[in-house]
Amino acid sequence: MIDVAQVVQALLLSIYLTLFLPTFQAIAQTEVHSYLTTEILESRTHNLIQQQGRETIDLSNFIIDLANADSEFNQYFYQEINKAIARVSQPISLNFSDAIIQGDLKLNQLGIASAIGAGVLPTLFTTLEQEKIAQSYPLQSEAIQQIPIVNIFRGSIYCDRTVFTGSVDASNSLYLQSVTASEAVFQRDSNFSQTNFAKELNFSQVMFVGKTDFSHSHFFEPAKFANAEFQTIADFSHSQYEAQTDFSHTLFTELADFTRSVFIDTVDLSQSIFRDRLIFAKSKFLNSLVLVDSSLEKTVTLRDIYLNSLIDLKDAHLLNRLDFSNAFFTPQARINASGLAFDTTEAQIIGQPGIIGKYLNISRLQGNETVFRNLIRNFRSLEQIADANNLEYEQKQLEARAMGDRLTKVSWQKIFTWGWFRLLSQWLILNLLLLLGNYGTNINLIFSLGIMAIALFSVLFWLLDRYRPGISQPVIPQQNEIITMLTSYLAIETISAINILMTADRPWLTIMAIAIILLPVPVVITRVIYQRGRYHELLDRSYFVENAEFREFRLLIGRLPIMPRFPFFRDRFMPILWDRRWSWLNYYDFSLNNIFKLGFNDIRLRDQYVPGLISTLVWYQWCLGVLYIVLLLWTLSRTIPGLNLLIYF
């Protein structure tokens, strides 16, 4: 039986621990700390300690009451510290660690207020410090009308585990040494705007309860905000980061604004949570932006950014819109989308049509099938067909690579089995589709392939038809016809090859695949024909005939390449002319019919006294044309929205 009394006691104990224990701990912590008085402050400023090799004013573990701005202690606090700083020629650090600062802290009143400009810096600054100041304010070295006043703090500032109950103002300042505030709590607004940090800034595990303002700030060394928590707006706009910036494992409850910021080195936002908007509009990334395993619950704005490296979205969780509109990507730029999860129906990636899809990169297929499916569906819903096709092409490349790995890793006992041959055929077909048209995404490549096939077969048909030397009355074309035909062939093939080199991802492999398809059979047939010779009737006439009823541009998709046998129709066909200057165009017209299924004249192969090898060559081209027209229509339907429906009807 369950003892009811014990259950009630346990429940009361848990309520006590939850509600009252933190209060008691805070009271106990306050009791441990003692209030900083004017006497203690004077003693600490005159009796400096050594911390990390530098003389330091130790105000740690005190309660510093600055709540009354007009109080005598408040004014004495700033004056006494600044006197100590000015009294010593060497930089003095300031230690607020484990302190409780009540009221507003004007951190920008601690230090040396100095005009910035050539020849106006106090002699107190060393040569190295002057160089850092000039680096922080390079434009101020020029002669200008108004010389600005900046607060310069020469030493380090330690605020580890410090509690700031009021606002903190450190704006318009220059900190020549490190600033650390790990595990600190800022209960009110903190203002670090227009502040330069010459050394490392460490705000790891800090809790910002109030608004945080680091706008127009400059970080020359690493800035660390790992495991921090921003409970209200975090403003980092118009800032510049020269070294690595660490925001990993950070919680942003409200807006995180990095508008017009410049990141020279890597910025790490991995495993962070963004409950509100994240804005990087018009920012520059010269190195990586890492968002690995981050949760992006609201809109992420990367509009008008400059990207020269990597945006890593691996395993990130996207719940809203990711906007890359008008972004500028250098050739080195890429976006790693491996493992990117679309966790809601509102999740969406927006970018410049035809551009954004080229930079989305997924390293492996296994485990990313859903990612590809979501990205392709995303761009198709936005009618960005080119981007969807680019991603599908990338997916098929990874699929072909995976098939190749499976083929090479099969044990020797399973080679040449039915399953192995089936996988091999799938791999060959997939690679052909990838090489010959980027899996239906590159219409320029498809047209180049067709034009190369037309030119090759045209010159072969012209050669077989117009050059018959081994007969009693040899048929040999005139010199101008030879020059015209060969010149046109070389020009067409050269232009097509250049286009392939410019548009194909792997141009030499593509050209090799085209050569394997087009050259072996025609070359062998042509060689055998000339080796055997030709001995049949009608050797003085062309093998090709045309329908003399009409001359018009027609769609001949259902036309076969052989003249019909019915006498009534045969009377309409006449041998093509050999004695015209434009006669060589007939061979291009015939190849155009066979490949593109379009033609100006209905030219066919005659059905009497034709060597079987010539018929074989014609049928071979016609079969290639059928496969080509299917590939062409499939590519057009994938690259032009709505065309697939038109083709269907």
Side-chain angles (χ1 to χ4, degrees):
M1 297 292 292
I2 299 175
D3 192 343
V4 177
Q6 292 180 354
V7 173
V8 172
Q9 289 178 359
L11 181 61
L12 292 175
L13 179 61
S14 64
I15 294 174
Y16 167 79
L17 293 174
T18 304
L19 298 179
F20 299 104
L21 186 58
T23 303
F24 290 153
Q25 289 176 343
I27 294 173
Q29 184 181 12
T30 304
E31 291 177 352
V32 172
H33 290 71
S34 59
Y35 279 88
L36 180 67
T37 63
T38 55
E39 293 78 9
I40 297 175
L41 177 60
E42 184 177 357
S43 174
R44 294 298 174 97
T45 55
H46 285 79
N47 299 285
L48 306 179
I49 66 170
Q50 289 290 323
Q51 185 170 355
Q52 295 185 2
R54 185 173 288 113
E55 292 185 328
T56 304
I57 300 174
D58 184 15
L59 300 178
S60 61
N61 292 287
F62 282 104
I63 299 175
I64 304 174
D65 187 4
L66 302 175
N68 186 357
D70 297 327
S71 67
E72 182 180 349
F73 175 79
N74 195 314
Q75 298 175 4
Y76 182 78
F77 174 80
Y78 295 102
Q79 291 175 2
E80 185 64 21
I81 294 177
N82 286 334
K83 283 182 182 178
I85 292 173
R87 198 165 45 235
V88 181
S89 61
Q90 298 298 321
I92 294 180
S93 299
L94 191 58
N95 187 1
F96 288 118
S97 297
D98 297 293
I100 299 175
I101 301 179
Q102 299 175 346
D104 298 339
L105 175 63
K106 298 177 181 178
L107 203 58
N108 57 1
Q109 291 188 10
L110 296 176
I112 302 172
S114 174
I116 302 298
V120 298
L121 288 174
T123 57
L124 177 66
F125 295 108
T126 65
T127 303
L128 182 60
E129 288 175 334
Q130 292 183 19
E131 290 177 358
K132 290 182 179 180
I133 295 171
Q135 181 185 13
S136 301
Y137 300 93
L139 298 180
Q140 308 304 335
S141 60
E142 301 291 337
I144 55 177
Q145 295 180 355
Q146 184 177 0
I147 299 177
I149 304 297
V150 175
N151 181 71
I152 302 175
F153 198 89
R154 302 173 67 199
S156 299
I157 294 182
Y158 305 98
C159 298
D160 298 330
R161 298 170 299 281
T162 305
V163 177
F164 301 90
T165 64
S167 62
V168 177
D169 189 358
S171 61
N172 194 33
S173 300
L174 168 61
Y175 295 95
L176 295 176
Q177 300 298 328
S178 61
V179 178
T180 63
S182 60
E183 301 182 53
V185 177
F186 294 83
Q187 296 183 355
R188 299 289 182 180
D189 295 348
S190 52
N191 185 3
F192 292 87
S193 62
Q194 300 184 22
T195 299
N196 290 355
F197 300 92
K199 293 294 184 179
E200 179 182 276
L201 175 72
N202 188 355
F203 273 48
S204 301
Q205 303 182 55
V206 171
M207 178 181 291
F208 295 96
V209 181
K211 180 181 177 181
T212 308
D213 187 358
F214 279 88
S215 62
H216 297 87
S217 294
H218 201 144
F219 304 85
F220 290 92
E221 295 291 335
K224 299 178 180 179
F225 293 88
N227 296 282
E229 180 177 342
F230 297 87
Q231 295 187 2
T232 53
I233 295 175
D235 188 358
F236 290 86
S237 61
H238 299 82
S239 298
Q240 183 163 332
Y241 305 82
E242 303 283 344
Q244 291 187 355
T245 307
D246 187 2
F247 282 95
S248 61
H249 301 86
T250 301
L251 172 63
F252 294 88
T253 304
E254 293 189 11
L255 170 68
D257 188 2
F258 293 87
T259 302
R260 291 184 182 275
S261 295
V262 179
F263 300 92
I264 308 298
D265 211 325
T266 300
V267 51
D268 186 0
L269 292 162
S270 60
Q271 301 185 51
S272 296
I273 300 175
F274 298 89
R275 296 276 169 77
D276 209 318
R277 292 177 298 155
L278 172 61
I279 302 178
F280 284 104
K282 298 183 179 181
S283 294
K284 292 183 178 181
F285 298 92
L286 304 184
N287 214 306
S288 301
L289 168 61
V290 181
L291 288 162
V292 173
D293 202 21
S294 292
S295 180
L296 309 170
E297 299 183 7
K298 296 295 182 180
T299 302
V300 181
T301 302
L302 291 155
R303 189 182 304 115
D304 295 302
I305 66 167
Y306 174 92
L307 180 63
N308 190 47
S309 185
L310 168 70
I311 294 181
D312 197 345
L313 294 169
K314 181 181 179 182
D315 297 325
H317 300 269
L318 185 63
L319 284 76
N320 210 290
R321 187 170 67 249
L322 183 58
D323 189 356
F324 287 97
S325 300
N326 300 318
F328 179 82
F329 299 103
T330 65
Q332 297 83 13
R334 58 191 178 94
I335 303 169
N336 181 19
S338 299
L340 177 64
F342 286 65
D343 286 345
T344 64
T345 56
E346 290 80 15
Q348 193 177 52
I349 294 181
I350 296 175
Q352 189 172 353
I355 301 296
I356 183 65
K358 296 179 181 179
Y359 292 94
L360 286 168
N361 178 263
I362 299 176
S363 58
R364 54 182 297 180
L365 181 62
Q366 185 178 2
N368 288 297
E369 295 85 356
T370 302
V371 179
F372 275 113
R373 185 163 55 249
N374 289 334
L375 289 172
I376 292 170
R377 183 172 60 241
N378 170 82
F379 289 117
R380 291 202 184 280
S381 66
L382 296 172
E383 296 188 358
Q384 295 183 206
I385 306 301
D387 298 311
N389 287 342
N390 281 328
L391 284 165
E392 192 167 358
Y393 172 58
E394 184 178 343
Q395 181 185 15
K396 295 303 178 181
Q397 281 184 310
L398 294 174
E399 187 177 333
R401 192 180 306 165
M403 286 184 181
D405 292 339
R406 288 168 58 190
L407 285 170
T408 56
K409 293 178 181 179
V410 170
S411 60
W412 66 272
Q413 295 92 342
K414 296 183 179 180
I415 295 179
F416 304 120
T417 60
W418 168 248
W420 187 84
F421 276 114
R422 182 180 179 184
L423 182 61
L424 178 64
S425 62
Q426 293 175 350
W427 179 79
L428 287 173
I429 292 172
L430 181 56
N431 274 281
L432 281 176
L433 291 175
L434 291 171
L435 290 173
L436 299 182
N438 292 358
Y439 200 77
T441 63
N442 193 334
I443 192 64
N444 288 333
L445 188 55
I446 293 293
F447 275 119
S448 297
L449 170 62
I451 292 172
M452 289 186 78
I454 289 172
L456 174 64
F457 281 97
S458 297
V459 76
L460 287 177
F461 292 144
W462 169 81
L463 180 65
L464 293 171
D465 195 42
R466 295 291 289 120
Y467 182 65
R468 309 177 193 178
I471 57 178
S472 57
Q473 295 182 349
V475 176
I476 298 176
Q478 296 181 359
Q479 183 178 3
N480 60 348
E481 184 178 349
I482 296 173
I483 294 174
T484 303
M485 191 67 189
L486 294 180
T487 302
S488 63
Y489 167 73
L490 292 175
I492 293 172
E493 294 288 6
T494 301
I495 294 173
S496 300
I498 292 174
N499 192 46
I500 290 174
L501 292 173
M502 294 175 61
T503 59
D505 285 345
R506 295 173 291 177
W508 295 111
L509 285 177
T510 299
I511 292 175
M512 187 182 300
I514 294 173
I516 292 174
I517 294 172
L518 296 182
L519 291 180
V521 174
V523 169
V524 170
I525 289 176
T526 303
R527 181 176 180 180
V528 171
I529 289 175
Y530 280 104
Q531 283 180 343
R532 290 182 179 177
R534 282 169 277 187
Y535 309 98
H536 53 77
E537 300 295 332
L538 302 179
L539 276 172
D540 58 341
R541 295 187 183 181
S542 174
Y543 293 124
F544 301 96
V545 295
E546 63 176 335
N547 188 343
E549 283 189 318
F550 67 91
R551 288 186 181 273
E552 59 186 11
F553 187 72
R554 298 182 64 182
L555 177 64
L556 303 169
I557 195 167
R559 181 200 68 96
L560 297 179
I562 304 296
M563 185 179 68
R565 292 178 60 247
F566 189 60
F568 176 74
F569 289 102
R570 181 176 293 177
D571 292 341
R572 302 179 182 180
F573 287 89
M574 302 175 62
I576 62 172
L577 300 174
W578 279 350
D579 57 351
R580 300 291 190 272
R581 290 187 176 181
W582 45 261
S583 297
W584 56 277
L585 289 173
N586 288 320
Y587 304 98
Y588 282 104
D589 199 2
F590 179 71
S591 289
L592 186 67
N593 289 342
N594 281 349
I595 299 296
F596 280 113
K597 309 304 178 186
L598 300 170
F600 297 92
N601 300 304
D602 185 7
I603 299 178
R604 309 193 189 193
L605 188 69
R606 75 188 190 197
D607 65 337
Q608 292 179 323
Y609 306 112
V610 178
L613 289 175
I614 294 180
S615 298
T616 301
L617 184 60
V618 169
W619 279 107
Y620 180 72
Q621 187 199 22
W622 186 86
C623 292
L624 289 179
V626 171
L627 296 176
Y628 176 80
I629 203 66
V630 171
L631 180 62
L632 176 63
L633 294 177
W634 177 60
T635 303
L636 289 173
S637 68
R638 287 168 50 81
T639 54
I640 302 177
L643 187 63
N644 53 348
L645 187 63
L646 178 63
I647 293 173
Y648 173 78
F649 284 114

